[in-house]
Amino acid sequence: MRSSRFSSAFLFLLIASVVFLSACGGGSTSVSTPPPIVKTTPTITWAQPAPITNPAPLTSTQLDATGSVPGSFVYTPAAGTVLPAGAQTLSVAFTPTDTTHYNSASASVTLTVNPPVAVKHAFLYSSETTQDLSGGGINGTFAGVLEVFSIDATSGALTPITGSPFTTNYSTGEDMVLSPNGDNAYILAVLYPPGTCCVGTSYILVYGLDPNSGFPTFKQAFVAGIDGGTLTMHPSGEFLYVSPNDSNYSTIGVLSIQSDGTLALADAAPFQAQDNVAVHPQGTFLYSDIDTGQVGNWGNNPCGLVNTSLLTYSVDPTTGTPAASGSPVVLQRNECPTTPTNYAIFKQMDPSGTRLYVIDGANSTIYVYSIDPSTGALAQLSGTTTTSHFDSSSAIDPLGHFLYLGAVNAFDGFALSANSSSGTLAALPGMPFPLPPSPITGSTVLTTDSTGTFLFSNENDYTSAFSCCGPDAFVQFKINSTTGAITQLPSSLPTFAGTPSKIVASPVH
């Protein structure tokens, strides 16, 4: 019993001593340690993208993730990639600007890529001018015609459809575009008074196109009020831009396309242009050019240096009307260093919307500009490409991999890369591809079919006194889908009916 009491007393004293020493600090010194930084993981917001149809490349429409803090995104696959059909995973790696307080993050979404729509029928449309010289010189009779050919999907052979060529009842054909679904054709044509060739009234001719036969049915002649020019279709198929062929600060009109394909005026003259215009694949921006002044005094010399301004416009998605956006990009160029003379600036848009290719036809030079996806602003890349041939036409394959140029006595071709930081383009194998021997010949129009398998062009004899009105020869090529090299095919037809001003292949149905 005594032992039990002693143990309890000892235990009580021991506990009291521990409490006392603890309260007094126990005679030791403690060190304060700062709490560790706890990083947080940012939130990535990335909505499920709408389905696309192969072979459409990836753009900022699908790759549009945002972060809860500032940082940078790297997408896999990258913009410009063409994905196979099926459910495809898009991934993004996010690196925050402040890596001290935030972790890196990642996210993914699933994109549905629909298979290509099966080709039922493919057609090639050619807007041309012919001339009856029995009246002598310019007093001969001009006629605008529309030729329509079916395209063999295997060989690329062309066969005129029943009734082709079709007379338009206008003097000349100037330019032509098709609606995105291929249901309608729009031809810019000029009607000259009898006995004249150079001053006339322009009309936009609207034709409905039968998807099975390619047959064109006339719908409307809309007065354009200018002498010649170019047409550009908005990617939505809701608006048509009309650019006059004029060097004196010309203006572009905007036409709205009605449900039946006919035209109505949307805006008579909202902005300036000189040559063709290019519209961003998303329809958000438009690019034109004007000559803004000569450099020095030309005197009696019609040639010399000029400043050409590339203009950027934002496009109202509801009305299609462009509004000036940002500062012009000035390009200095020689007006006519070569013969035959071509003052035109050809603008080609990469299908991914990341690059604008500006081809200076007179100087045979290609300038490459990157496009800011938010503002549409152009930034010229460091390099340029000189083709060494007088270039008179251009085309980009539907996937945006290859650029082809029609030139005097040759075809040029270049590989395109939206990921390259340089503006210099690599020549395709076998380029320049020579045209058949002739004093001076060249391609003035060219296009690919909607699958990028075939390249179609004319061959024009520049030495003929009336080479403007044909008949021009057909030239056809097979495109190597891997390298972009072209192989000339035996022409399925000897000549066009006249001189084409534009040839366009119908989109895949």
Side-chain angles (χ1 to χ4, degrees):
M1 190 60 135
R2 187 186 325 170
S3 175
S4 176
R5 282 200 211 102
F6 176 79
S7 297
S8 298
F10 178 80
L11 180 60
F12 174 81
L13 291 174
L14 180 61
I15 293 174
S17 298
V18 171
V19 171
F20 175 80
L21 290 174
S22 176
C24 295
S28 65
T29 303
S30 64
V31 178
S32 177
T33 302
I37 296 175
V38 178
K39 290 186 177 184
T40 59
T41 300
T43 300
I44 297 177
T45 302
W46 196 1
Q48 187 80 9
I52 62 175
T53 299
N54 180 283
L58 291 176
T59 69
S60 57
T61 299
Q62 294 82 40
L63 309 180
D64 61 350
T66 59
S68 57
V69 297
S72 59
F73 295 89
V74 176
Y75 293 96
T76 304
T81 302
V82 177
L83 296 172
Q88 305 295 335
T89 299
L90 308 182
S91 302
V92 66
F94 176 72
T95 302
T97 303
D98 180 3
T99 56
T100 301
H101 296 90
Y102 297 97
N103 296 313
S104 297
S106 62
S108 62
V109 293
T110 300
L111 172 67
T112 299
V113 181
N114 296 319
V117 179
V119 177
K120 295 180 180 178
H121 299 277
F123 301 98
L124 184 71
Y125 295 87
S126 175
S127 176
E128 305 167 13
T129 299
T130 64
Q131 186 180 25
D132 178 3
L133 298 181
S134 60
I138 65 171
N139 295 318
T141 302
F142 291 89
V145 298
L146 174 63
E147 286 200 90
V148 185
F149 312 92
S150 61
I151 304 174
D152 185 280
T154 302
S155 66
L158 302 175
T159 303
I161 71 167
T162 302
S164 181
F166 303 90
T167 301
T168 66
N169 295 323
Y170 290 79
S171 304
T172 63
E174 297 288 330
D175 196 10
M176 175 176 54
V177 294
L178 303 186
S179 57
N181 59 11
D183 289 347
N184 296 288
Y186 301 88
I187 301 174
L188 186 62
V190 180
L191 182 61
Y192 295 131
T196 67
C197 71
C198 304
V199 179
T201 302
S202 288
Y203 295 81
I204 300 174
L205 311 180
V206 182
Y207 288 87
L209 305 178
D210 186 287
N212 295 309
S213 68
F215 189 90
T217 300
F218 178 77
K219 290 185 176 182
Q220 181 189 28
F222 188 94
V223 179
I226 53 176
D227 185 13
T230 61
L231 299 176
T232 304
M233 177 69 67
H234 189 275
S236 68
E238 297 177 350
F239 307 105
L240 186 65
Y241 300 99
V242 187
S243 172
N245 184 16
D246 182 15
S247 62
N248 297 318
Y249 295 90
S250 302
T251 54
I252 298 176
V254 181
L255 302 176
S256 62
I257 299 177
Q258 311 303 297
S259 59
D260 63 353
T262 58
L263 301 172
L265 183 63
D267 199 326
F271 60 100
Q272 295 177 319
Q274 179 171 315
D275 299 308
N276 77 306
V277 300
V279 183
H280 193 275
Q282 296 180 26
T284 49
F285 305 106
L286 182 148
Y287 302 92
S288 67
D289 68 276
I290 57 172
D291 287 347
T292 51
Q294 64 190 44
V295 180
N297 186 4
W298 288 358
N300 295 324
N301 184 1
C303 300
L305 295 178
V306 296
N307 288 327
T308 296
S309 291
L310 301 176
L311 308 177
T312 300
Y313 295 88
S314 58
V315 177
D316 187 301
T318 303
T319 65
T321 302
S325 175
S327 302
V329 175
V330 178
L331 176 67
Q332 191 173 100
R333 51 194 291 267
N334 195 335
E335 270 290 278
C336 47
T338 58
T339 300
T341 299
N342 190 332
Y343 299 154
I345 287 281
F346 302 101
K347 289 174 288 299
Q348 286 283 1
M349 181 72 65
D350 188 290
S352 69
T354 58
R355 296 285 189 269
L356 179 69
Y357 302 95
V358 177
I359 300 115
D360 181 351
N363 296 275
S364 298
T365 302
I366 307 171
Y367 304 90
V368 184
Y369 296 84
S370 63
I371 300 174
D372 187 295
S374 301
T375 66
L378 299 176
Q380 185 175 345
L381 301 183
S382 57
T384 59
T385 299
T386 302
T387 69
S388 76
H389 292 273
F390 171 80
D391 304 304
S392 55
S393 55
S394 61
I396 289 182
D397 77 293
L399 298 182
H401 294 164
F402 313 116
L403 170 67
Y404 298 97
L405 302 178
V408 171
N409 292 332
F411 284 91
D412 284 329
F414 300 91
L416 305 180
S417 175
N419 297 321
S420 173
S421 59
S422 170
T424 302
L425 304 177
L428 296 177
M431 299 297 178
F433 191 98
L435 285 168
S438 179
I440 301 180
T441 62
S443 164
T444 56
V445 292
L446 73 164
T447 191
T448 67
D449 72 319
S450 58
T451 65
T453 305
F454 303 104
L455 179 69
F456 303 101
S457 177
N458 72 325
E459 184 179 357
N460 183 283
D461 180 3
Y462 286 107
T463 62
S464 171
F466 297 101
S467 61
C468 69
C469 305
D472 286 3
F474 269 103
V475 187
Q476 299 172 231
F477 298 90
K478 178 72 176 291
I479 299 174
N480 185 307
S481 60
T482 303
T483 67
I486 56 176
T487 302
Q488 189 166 355
L489 300 173
S491 181
S492 54
L493 295 170
T495 63
F496 291 92
T499 292
S501 60
K502 190 68 171 288
I503 54 177
V504 183
S506 63
V508 173
H509 289 290

